[in-house]
Amino acid sequence: MVKILERTSTQVATEMAATAKKRRIGILGGTFNPPHLGHLVIADQVATQLGLDRVLFMPDAEPPHVDRKITIPAKDRVAMVKAAIADNPRFDLELTEVARGGRSYSYDTMRQLTQAHPENQYYFIIGGDMVAYLPKWYRIDELVKLVQFVGVCRQGFTRESPYPVLWVDVPQIGISSTMVRDQVRRGQSVRYLVPTMVDLYIKEHLLYRD
């Protein structure tokens, strides 16, 4: 027999009150190789639509995916993210994964953050194309207890998921880090694809030339 656990109205009210007191913090993770305007639009739209207090950009030290991306050093990616978000007081850096080094899994990172900052309620932002892969994420059943997933809607991807996902409609910005790197490699302009300070950093440090 399956037991149905019912919560009283008092328990629900207590839980809601506790959540309401917490700071609402978005987490936007990625390689940011380099960060571009699409990243900023996503973060801004999610923060505005969900009323988040802050969005933390969290560069990874080494992507945990099977198809490992060839990336530039973390220090350069961190510097570019810092430059990209400097003019938005709602944005900040989260360097937990870079400081840890090596491969990081979202469960390990978010367990560390929730233990260190119990005053925060975390909203983990992912692209709509990634939602279908959630069942394959490391310790996903435990991760969904730590964070609220936020799916950024993208054309051609379903909103269905066996896990609770908040969906946010964001203007479609056809920019990717791969596109930016290819443009730089071909000697083409990336103005209006990345923030001005990121463009300057790429040029100053001669990134993505090879």
Side-chain angles (χ1 to χ4, degrees):
M1 178 181 294
V2 178
K3 292 184 178 180
I4 299 177
L5 301 178
E6 297 183 354
R7 294 179 299 168
T8 67
S9 58
T10 301
Q11 289 175 316
V12 172
T14 300
E15 291 175 8
M16 291 180 64
T19 301
K21 293 178 182 177
K22 290 191 174 185
R23 297 174 71 239
R24 297 158 62 86
I25 306 297
I27 294 285
L28 183 60
T31 305
F32 299 114
N33 187 32
H36 53 72
L37 293 183
H39 294 130
L40 302 183
V41 169
I42 288 172
D44 182 68
Q45 289 291 316
V46 171
T48 301
Q49 294 184 41
L50 298 184
L52 303 184
D53 296 297
R54 297 183 81 74
V55 174
L56 306 182
F57 286 68
M58 185 169 68
D60 51 31
E62 181 181 329
H65 313 295
V66 174
D67 55 337
R68 292 178 56 188
K69 301 176 183 177
I70 299 175
T71 65
I72 61 175
K75 66 179 181 62
D76 289 315
R77 293 184 286 112
V78 168
M80 286 191 288
V81 172
K82 187 175 181 179
I85 66 177
D87 64 347
N88 191 324
R90 194 180 247 179
F91 295 166
D92 208 343
L93 269 170
E94 174 52 64
L95 299 179
T96 296
E97 294 193 346
V98 170
R100 181 188 300 133
R103 292 190 179 189
S104 290
Y105 291 93
S106 298
Y107 168 76
D108 295 327
T109 300
M110 296 316 302
R111 182 181 62 175
Q112 181 178 341
L113 288 178
T114 54
Q115 289 176 348
H117 301 283
E119 74 279 8
N120 292 343
Q121 171 65 41
Y122 288 102
Y123 293 76
F124 201 96
I125 306 165
I126 59 175
D129 54 330
M130 296 178 65
V131 172
Y133 294 96
L134 284 179
K136 299 180 180 180
W137 281 35
Y138 175 69
R139 300 182 76 163
I140 182 62
D141 291 327
E142 295 167 81
L143 177 58
V144 295
K145 297 176 183 178
L146 299 177
V147 303
Q148 169 63 64
F149 275 103
V150 177
V152 176
C153 295
R154 290 184 179 172
Q155 279 187 325
F157 294 97
T158 179
R159 295 191 179 202
E160 296 179 1
S161 174
Y163 301 100
V165 176
L166 280 176
W167 289 95
V168 174
D169 290 310
V170 172
Q172 299 296 309
I173 307 294
I175 304 174
S176 70
S177 295
T178 300
M179 174 195 297
V180 174
R181 294 195 302 272
D182 288 344
Q183 285 284 98
V184 174
R185 195 170 291 116
R186 294 196 303 268
Q188 302 299 312
S189 171
V190 294
R191 189 178 186 183
Y192 305 125
L193 299 180
V194 300
T196 300
M197 295 307 294
V198 172
D199 188 9
L200 292 174
Y201 189 95
I202 290 172
K203 291 175 179 175
E204 181 181 348
H205 292 81
L206 303 177
L207 302 180
Y208 310 124
R209 303 295 175 180
D210 300 327

